[in-house]
Every structure is written in structure tokens, then in C-alpha cells.
Amino acid sequence: MSNKADGVHETWNSRWTFVMAATGSAVGLGNIWKFPYIAGENGGGAFVLIYLICILVLGIPIMMAEVLMGRWGRSSPVHTMYKLVDEIKAPRIWHGIGWMGVVAGVVILSYYSVIAGWAIHYLLQMASGNINGLDGAGSSEMFAEMLGSPRTLIFYHSLFMVMTMFVVIAGVTKGLGRAVRILMPLLMVLLLVLLTFSIRMGDFPAAVNYLFAVNFSSLTGQSILTALGHAFFTLSLGMGAIMVYGAYMPEHAPIGKTVLTVAGLDTLVALVAGLAIFPIVFANEAIVPSEGPGLLFVSLPIAFGNMPGGIIFGFMFFALVTMAAWSSSISLVEPAVAWFVETKKATRLQAGLAFGLICWLLGLGTVFSFGAWEDIRLLGLNFFEFADFLTANIMLPLGGMVMAIFVGWMMNTNTVRDELDIDNDRIFNAWTFVLRYISPIAILWVTLEGLSDIFGWPWLSLLNLFS
Ligand code: PFF
């Protein structure tokens, strides 16, 4: 028998609330904003395929491991790791999983909030009617105007940070649980409305071909690493967000099924978002798939500006994007806030305010990286790109990898089995095999290939080493 921990936090009132909250965390800017533009930057089909494989082979098994650790420890990732390490007498270095999560969450939220701010700005643009009859050039201009105004960016970044902290401070069931139950289904409905528009008015066949026709020649080590990183980013994996939500999960809810539901919904939203955006991209010469972070913001307003009722749909769409970002952002600081509260050095209010301020300040780096600091570069990347690369492509996969190793190799198999509650031996053994061998090897390999490609260090590439 293990000394399963009792938590100090409230638990969700049903498995369904966990599904909604975890989906709320998973579905966010990653699906609607980031997935389409990185698919566009990395050549489409082959990238999408690698991303789907990463979700299936690495993301889902590691998500199960992360939920399991959280439910076992019933506390913030930092303290869950302390308890787990104590329980199995593992070396203290494993505490690093919790700490790395806190740092990754804070850094991601800093830029996430700036981008969510764009969505709020666009929501108001829709309402103002500025988009009537918008064409590709007009839309690009509108986007550039926003990026060129640090004041606008800072204003909406601040607003979004206040919104995030408001829910975080309100607490687990009252704040987080309630917020996501209505938003997610509504978002899906609106994406389907957009999809219908794109099928009728955009170049749908070109979009399908772009996203699903696989051509491996455009794939590089760097794009494989981006696909891997995005699988972790989009599922909120590898930094303890899912672990801390797992800590609030009821005792006997089945982890496997629950995780499959969350990952399935997340993937569905990303693909539908892609299929709604690319037909518009291909129908407008002023926009190219490799447009970058502005892709969503320059393509969709054209659709809204030219469809009946577009102002209302546009308003609703960006409102929902904001809300999807909102339900993700709260999970980004939850590991940090939960940890701080557990140390009894702060109340939820104080912890929320402290981390909100840190993220806000850090976010200014992203704001200026679109303007005045554009040329300040580290390893060729500006502040925003560097923060994104470091967290999504390095810290999250690495976090996921060490979690897989911890659960696969270090934890007691009976404890793991009890917690997971899988009767089928074959499924359990396959899952353990993936955690023990496939995940660590695959993540390490992809990371090394990606880094060797990006920084031109061929000695890092295992392919080169053996050729
Ligand atoms: N999964 C979120 C998205 O796709 O937008 C982003 C995210 C949330 C990443 C929470 C990591 C995390 F812990």
C-alpha cells in the first residue's frame, strides 16, 4: 500500500468537470492561433502528420502519467514531487519536475497574455464595424497597425492578465470549474459556423490538400521539434498544469478514458480551426500560409468582413478565442499559485497578485519584440520567439520526458496500476513500454535533431553521427 497523499485543496465535483477543465486548459490559443500558423510555416501536411503522431504516441500516454502523479499527490506539482520522491526514496533531483513547471508556466503566460490581448483588441474591432468589406491588404494593414502600437498591446495584455488573476484568485471550483462549462461547446459551434463559410466562400480543396497531403521533403529537424513541442503545448503537458488539475480529480474517475476525451477534443478543435482558416488564406493573394503569428488575425477578419452577419459572428468568435485563452491561462499559473499557497506564506489573493505581476512584467518583453526590440536577438530569435521556443520546444517536451521516466522507471508498478485502474494487462503493459522506452528515446532524439538543425551543430544530430 502506498501512503497516498490527502490534499488541502478542494476537488472537482465530478469527472465531467475535470474533463471540461482539462479541455479548457488544453484548448486555447495553441489550437486556434498557433497550430495553423506553425503548420503554415512548416509546410503543412507532413508537419500535421508528425504532430498527430506525437499526440497519439507521446502526448496521450504522458498525459495519463501526469494526471496520475497529480491525483496521487493531491497538491501543486512542486509538493506532489516532494511527496512522490519521499515515498519512493528517489534522489532529490526529481523535485526539478515541479520547479521547472512553475517557471515554464510563468514564462508561457507572459507571452500568452499578449497574444490573448490581440484577440480582445480584435473583438472590439469587429464590434466597431471596421471590417466591413475588408480585403487581404486592408486586413494586413490593420494587423500591422496594432503591432506598431505598444500602448494598445500593453493595454490589452494588462486587461487579460487582470482577467486571468481574477479567476485564479476566485479559487478552484468557483472560478476555474464554472468558467469552462459553457464556453467550450459554444466555441466549437462558432468554429463550425466559420468552417461552413470557408467551405462555401474560400478555397477549401486547396486547404485540405495543404493540411493533409503529406510531402516529407519539406520536413526538417527543426520542424519535427516544433511538431513535438506543439503536441505538448496544445495538451498543456510537461509543466504540471495537467498534474495540478489531476490533483483536483475525484478518486475513482478513470484516467485513461478521461485523457482520451480531452486529447480528442483538443485535436478536433485544432483541425477544424485549420480547415476554417486555410481556405481563406488560399483565396487571398495578400496572405501566405507562412504569414507567421499574424495568420489568424489577418485571415479571419476577411471572412467576417464579407459574410452576412459577419460583425456579430466576428465579435462572437474573438470573444470565444479570448475565453478559450482565458481558460488556458488560469492553468498556466495554477501550479505556481497552488505551490505558493501551500507554503502558507501567502493567501490565494497574494499569490495571484504576485505571479500576475511577474508575468505581466515579463510580457512586456514580448510586446516590445514586435517593435522597438525586434532586433534584440538571442540565438537569432527575438524575445517572443525565444520565450516560445524555450518553453514549448524545450521545457515542455523535457518535462514530459522526465515525467515519463519517473512514472515508468521510478514509481512502484502496483501503485501506478492502482491509480490508473486499467484491468487490461496488454494495454497497461503497452503504456508502460511507451513511458519507459519510446517517450524518452523519441523526445531526446527529436530534441537533438531539432537543436542541431537550428544552431547548425551537426555533431548533435544522431542521424549524422551514424551516417
Ligand atoms: N494548451 C494551451 C493552448 O493550446 O493554448 C496552452 C497551455 C496551457 C500550455 C497550459 C501549457 C499549459 F500548461
Side-chain angles (χ1 to χ4, degrees), residues 25-26 28-31 108 112 233-236 239 241 328 331-332 396:
S25 166
L29 294 174
N31 308 61
I108 295 177
Y112 203 82
F233 185 88
T234 191
L235 293 178
S236 305
M239 56 144 278
S328 300
S331 70
L332 281 163
L396 299 188

Side-chain angles (χ1 to χ4, degrees), residues 22-35 66 101 104-105 108 111-112 230-242 266 324-325 327-333 335 396:
T23 310
S25 166
V27 174
L29 294 174
N31 308 61
I32 309 166
W33 159 74
K34 193 174 179 190
F35 169 70
E66 193 172 332
I108 295 177
Y111 67 82
Y112 203 82
H230 189 63
F232 282 86
F233 185 88
T234 191
L235 293 178
S236 305
L237 278 189
M239 56 144 278
I242 288 297
D266 185 77
S327 61
S328 300
S329 64
I330 50 190
S331 70
L332 281 163
V333 266
L396 299 188

Side-chain angles (χ1 to χ4, degrees), residues 39 53 62 74 89 128 153 200 280 302 312 331 341 448 450:
I53 293 174
I62 291 181
R74 290 248 177 260
K89 312 260 172 311
S128 70
L153 298 181
R200 289 178 39 206
I280 303 168
I302 304 175
I312 297 172
S331 70
V341 171
L448 293 181

Side-chain angles (χ1 to χ4, degrees), residues 253-302:
I255 291 181
K257 256 195 240 158
T258 311
V259 162
L260 277 179
T261 315
V262 175
L265 287 171
D266 185 77
T267 309
L268 187 71
V269 174
L271 293 178
V272 174
L275 285 174
I277 289 173
F278 279 106
I280 303 168
V281 173
F282 288 115
N284 282 278
E285 271 168 17
I287 315 173
V288 287
S290 58
E291 170 82 31
L295 187 69
L296 167 83
F297 296 91
V298 293
S299 60
L300 291 193
I302 304 175

